[in-house]
């Protein structure tokens, strides 16, 4: 019993070009995704009433820059490891 919260980050590598890397961060509550950041879209998108409110606030705040930083620091930094495997 209780509540289930989960946040998942994915780096998707579609080509060896670093510009083709996509970061997706999903926020899930009780098995329902309520907000997602997609680097291709360039902003947070809400899927529930709560998610829409958070997306509006996070798109105006430091959270957006933080996600773009993850794309640079983590996804692009680790791309050579992914491509060599």
């Amino acid at each position: 019993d209780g509540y289930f919260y989960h946040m998942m980050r994915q780096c998707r590598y579609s080509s060896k070009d670093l510009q083709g890397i996509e970061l997706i961060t999903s926020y899930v509550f009780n098995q329902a995704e309520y907000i997602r950041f997609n680097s291709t879209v360039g902003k947070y998108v809400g899927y529930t009433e709560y998610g829409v409110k958070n997306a509006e606030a996070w798109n105006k705040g430091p959270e957006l820059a933080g996600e773009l930083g993850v794309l640079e620091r983590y996804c692009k930094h680790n791309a050579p490891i992914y491509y060599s495997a």
Side-chain angles (χ1 to χ4, degrees):
D1 292 4
Y3 296 101
F4 175 76
Y5 170 79
H6 179 78
M7 189 269 289
M8 181 176 64
R9 282 198 170 114
Q10 303 174 45
C11 298
R12 294 187 179 174
Y13 302 95
S14 59
S15 70
K16 291 200 176 200
D17 178 18
L18 291 180
Q19 300 304 317
I21 297 173
E22 180 180 35
L23 169 68
I24 297 176
T25 306
S26 299
Y27 296 84
V28 178
F29 183 74
N30 282 353
Q31 300 180 350
E33 184 177 23
Y34 67 93
I35 191 168
R36 175 186 290 182
F37 172 81
N38 184 321
S39 63
T40 303
V41 176
K43 65 180 184 176
Y44 288 95
V45 176
Y47 297 107
T48 65
E49 183 180 348
Y50 178 71
V52 170
K53 289 179 182 179
N54 278 292
E56 290 173 1
W58 293 0
N59 285 327
K60 296 176 185 172
E63 294 85 358
L64 185 60
E67 287 292 341
L68 296 173
V70 170
L71 175 65
E72 294 296 323
R73 284 187 322 271
Y74 184 76
C75 294
K76 290 184 179 181
H77 176 76
N78 289 312
I81 297 168
Y82 175 82
Y83 292 134
S84 69

